[in-house]
Amino acid sequence: MINNLYLGFVYHGFAYFILFLISWWAYHTKSLKFFSENRWSKNNKIQFFLLASGILLWGIIPLTKSEMTYSYLLLFGPIIPTYFQVFLVLILGILAFLVGKSQVNKSDFKFHVFQPHPATFTIFTYLLFRILFLISYEIWFRGFFLNDLLLITSLPVGILVNIICYALIHIFAPPKEAWSSLGFGLILCVLVIYLEAVWPAIFIHLSLFMGYEGGFFWKFSKDQMWKTVK
């Protein structure tokens, strides 16, 4: 990301530490998730501050501080992917979507305690910020950070460090989500290294997001429509 590798890791540590602190703050104020099984985020300002910080520190700054050619190659790779590679990413994306959707179906959302819910504008703003956050998330984790790790360590060590950092940022999430981040992080790291591009990780993470959070909003909307009919 930065010509001086040492300064690059100073920035990586700073960006990660700041996001970790904000996540800790959001967790202790019940604002880490925009919604959980029985409530909306207690403080949307903290939730949006977390998302905006991630977009800035993990997306905008790394991209603007890097050469355009380097950023492009990092995101899209040096060569056009084969049909098999595109098919592989598509299949994994569909699986991620289905896993996210299944979690919604298994969850017991207590919609009767979700009132008053945020305004429609707030919900759509959240969805936009969340998408940009996840894109920035993968650009940094599976892009700049992983790439710099592989410059100073072996492949297994670089992947291991990346996965551990990825899992630690999920320490405030429910145990099932925290543990599953280990396997999910490994898959994304291997896929990015195999295709030499970050776009597959972005696509799969967004697919998981659409399955889970998109599934929640669809389920919530149907619940509200049912209440209106009644």
Side-chain angles (χ1 to χ4, degrees):
M1 183 184 79
I2 299 175
N3 290 333
N4 186 310
L5 193 58
Y6 172 77
L7 291 178
F9 274 101
V10 169
Y11 178 80
H12 289 320
F14 167 78
Y16 184 85
F17 181 68
I18 293 298
L19 263 297
F20 189 90
L21 283 182
I22 298 175
S23 297
W24 175 84
W25 179 33
Y27 170 76
H28 282 279
T29 55
K30 293 180 171 53
S31 306
L32 182 63
K33 301 284 187 180
F34 189 71
F35 63 87
S36 62
E37 287 194 356
N38 57 7
R39 65 172 65 88
W40 294 100
S41 169
K42 192 170 183 179
N43 191 324
N44 283 331
K45 292 181 180 179
I46 298 176
Q47 169 68 208
F48 280 108
F49 179 62
L50 172 63
L51 296 177
S53 298
I55 294 169
L56 177 65
L57 295 175
W58 284 346
I60 294 175
I61 292 179
L63 287 173
T64 55
K65 292 297 181 182
S66 301
E67 294 182 1
M68 186 177 297
T69 302
Y70 177 75
S71 297
Y72 179 86
L73 291 175
L74 195 74
L75 288 170
F76 302 106
I79 58 174
I80 298 175
T82 64
Y83 288 119
F84 171 77
Q85 290 172 331
V86 173
F87 179 74
L88 176 63
V89 174
L90 182 61
I91 291 298
L92 290 175
I94 292 173
L95 288 175
F97 176 85
L98 293 176
V99 167
K101 193 171 183 297
S102 70
Q103 290 305 308
V104 174
N105 295 333
K106 293 176 183 177
S107 298
D108 181 23
F109 291 107
K110 303 174 180 64
F111 289 119
H112 63 281
V113 299
F114 265 69
Q115 302 298 328
H117 61 81
T120 302
F121 175 78
T122 303
I123 293 176
F124 277 102
T125 302
Y126 163 75
L127 292 175
L128 175 61
F129 270 66
R130 181 67 172 162
I131 290 172
L132 293 175
F133 175 81
L134 291 177
I135 293 173
S136 301
Y137 201 94
E138 291 304 330
I139 286 174
W140 183 78
F141 256 110
R142 250 64 67 169
F144 292 106
F145 183 46
L146 179 60
N147 191 64
D148 284 352
L149 282 172
L150 296 181
L151 291 176
I152 63 170
T153 65
S154 64
L155 188 64
V157 173
I159 292 176
L160 180 61
V161 171
N162 190 276
I163 292 172
I164 290 174
C165 291
Y166 181 63
L168 284 176
I169 206 74
H170 285 82
I171 197 171
F172 306 115
K176 188 174 181 179
E177 180 180 342
W179 283 109
S180 64
S181 68
L182 292 169
F184 188 64
L186 176 61
I187 292 172
L188 295 185
C189 282
V190 172
L191 192 63
V192 164
I193 292 170
Y194 168 54
L195 271 77
E196 300 182 74
V198 178
W199 68 264
I202 294 175
F203 175 77
I204 292 171
H205 211 148
L206 288 179
S207 297
L208 181 64
F209 158 78
M210 290 302 298
Y212 183 72
E213 302 194 48
F216 162 78
F217 285 113
W218 172 251
K219 193 171 183 179
F220 177 78
S221 298
K222 288 201 303 182
D223 181 81
Q224 296 306 298
M225 289 173 63
W226 177 247
K227 282 184 178 181
T228 302
V229 172
K230 290 170 65 178

